Amino acid sequence: MKKSTRKISKIIVHCSATAEGKDFTVQDIDRWHRQRGFDCIGYHYVIYRDGTVHEGRDVNRVGAHCSGYNKESIGVCYIGGLATDGKTPKDTRTDKQRAAMWTLLRQLITLYPDAEIYGHRDFAAKACPSFDARKEFAGMKITM
């Protein structure tokens, strides 16, 4: 994991807004984002259901994941976020995703000690990431 040359003040957690139990990849999200007019995937990291962490957009490139906050942030996305109906917001993180998210966020806070962790919903009228990231990760700086 390399440190961005950009000044990072926020780490913003997202979900892929996909149905529980379904696997998707960085390549899938890249395709979806290109269809929306982005030049590539908007997130810097994606956490698969099996707990593996995959790089998306290079951390030195401004993200495309949270309007108005991309310049100063790193975007982290987990696969899931919707119930099996594909519509209802739900925290669908597997145990492996939860563990991987904690590990990744600890690494990012080490690289960017002045950054705060947020959920996308803290900046937009959305349920994303379908849980309260501010609350869940509030003590992370203290434990570092």
Side-chain angles (χ1 to χ4, degrees), residues 13-42:
V13 179
H14 301 262
C15 65
S16 61
T18 53
E20 182 174 19
K22 304 239 180 190
D23 290 313
F24 294 95
T25 65
V26 165
Q27 292 76 18
D28 291 322
I29 298 171
D30 181 63
R31 186 177 67 254
W32 302 336
H33 284 186
R34 287 175 189 271
Q35 288 169 352
R36 291 177 54 199
F38 301 178
D39 64 349
C40 70
I41 187 171

Side-chain angles (χ1 to χ4, degrees), residues 38-94:
F38 301 178
D39 64 349
C40 70
I41 187 171
Y43 308 116
H44 297 97
Y45 297 97
V46 178
I47 304 170
Y48 288 12
R49 293 179 59 248
D50 66 2
T52 57
V53 176
H54 300 262
E55 290 187 16
R57 185 177 287 227
D58 186 279
V59 294
N60 287 312
R61 292 190 57 209
V62 172
H65 57 89
C66 189
S67 184
Y69 299 93
N70 289 313
K71 220 173 168 180
E72 72 243 24
S73 67
I74 296 288
V76 173
C77 177
Y78 77 93
I79 300 298
L82 297 177
T84 54
D85 65 9
K87 297 176 186 170
T88 307
K90 180 181 178 186
D91 182 357
T92 62
R93 291 175 295 163
T94 64

Side-chain angles (χ1 to χ4, degrees), residues 8-12 109 112-118 134 141:
I8 302 300
S9 63
K10 293 170 182 56
I11 300 164
I12 303 175
I109 285 294
Y112 312 105
D114 295 328
E116 296 285 334
I117 300 170
Y118 296 90
R134 294 284 293 160
K141 281 186 174 285

